[in-house]
Amino acid sequence: VSMCAAFLMVSSETDQDILVFLNAIQLRLLWTSLVGTFCALGVVLYDLGQPFRGSYQVTKAVNQLYGIRSMLKRSLKENKTTAVNTN
């Protein structure tokens, strides 16, 4: 919100030395990209705020971690049996 307010204050100044090289279309494109970026960021943050629902779900990562854990347990078990057999 503060970036949008700063943009509006800079673009509405009477002394527009900063905006000399930007015409109206460029300012509109800049404003549109700024608003679009913050809207997309808001949607992502809202979705991340609910870890068990939405597009970014914790359950998918948890299932991967269970697979990795079982593979590590099997690997440790195999290493223990080979160490016992060599002694």
Side-chain angles (χ1 to χ4, degrees), residues 44-51:
V44 169
L45 291 178
Y46 176 75
D47 196 28
L48 287 175
Q50 300 172 351

Side-chain angles (χ1 to χ4, degrees), residues 31-73:
W31 176 254
T32 302
S33 65
L34 186 66
V35 169
T37 301
F38 281 111
C39 287
L41 180 64
V43 168
V44 169
L45 291 178
Y46 176 75
D47 196 28
L48 287 175
Q50 300 172 351
F52 297 103
R53 293 181 283 174
S55 299
Y56 306 103
Q57 293 180 359
V58 175
T59 54
K60 295 176 185 176
V62 170
N63 291 336
Q64 290 175 348
L65 290 175
Y66 282 140
I68 292 170
R69 184 178 72 174
S70 66
M71 189 171 50
L72 287 173
K73 282 183 177 180

Side-chain angles (χ1 to χ4, degrees), residues 10-52:
V10 167
S11 64
S12 66
E13 286 181 350
T14 55
D15 183 28
Q16 295 185 349
D17 293 336
I18 298 171
L19 303 173
V20 167
F21 300 108
L22 297 176
N23 60 18
I25 294 174
Q26 290 173 330
L27 283 174
R28 286 180 185 169
L29 287 174
L30 182 63
W31 176 254
T32 302
S33 65
L34 186 66
V35 169
T37 301
F38 281 111
C39 287
L41 180 64
V43 168
V44 169
L45 291 178
Y46 176 75
D47 196 28
L48 287 175
Q50 300 172 351
F52 297 103

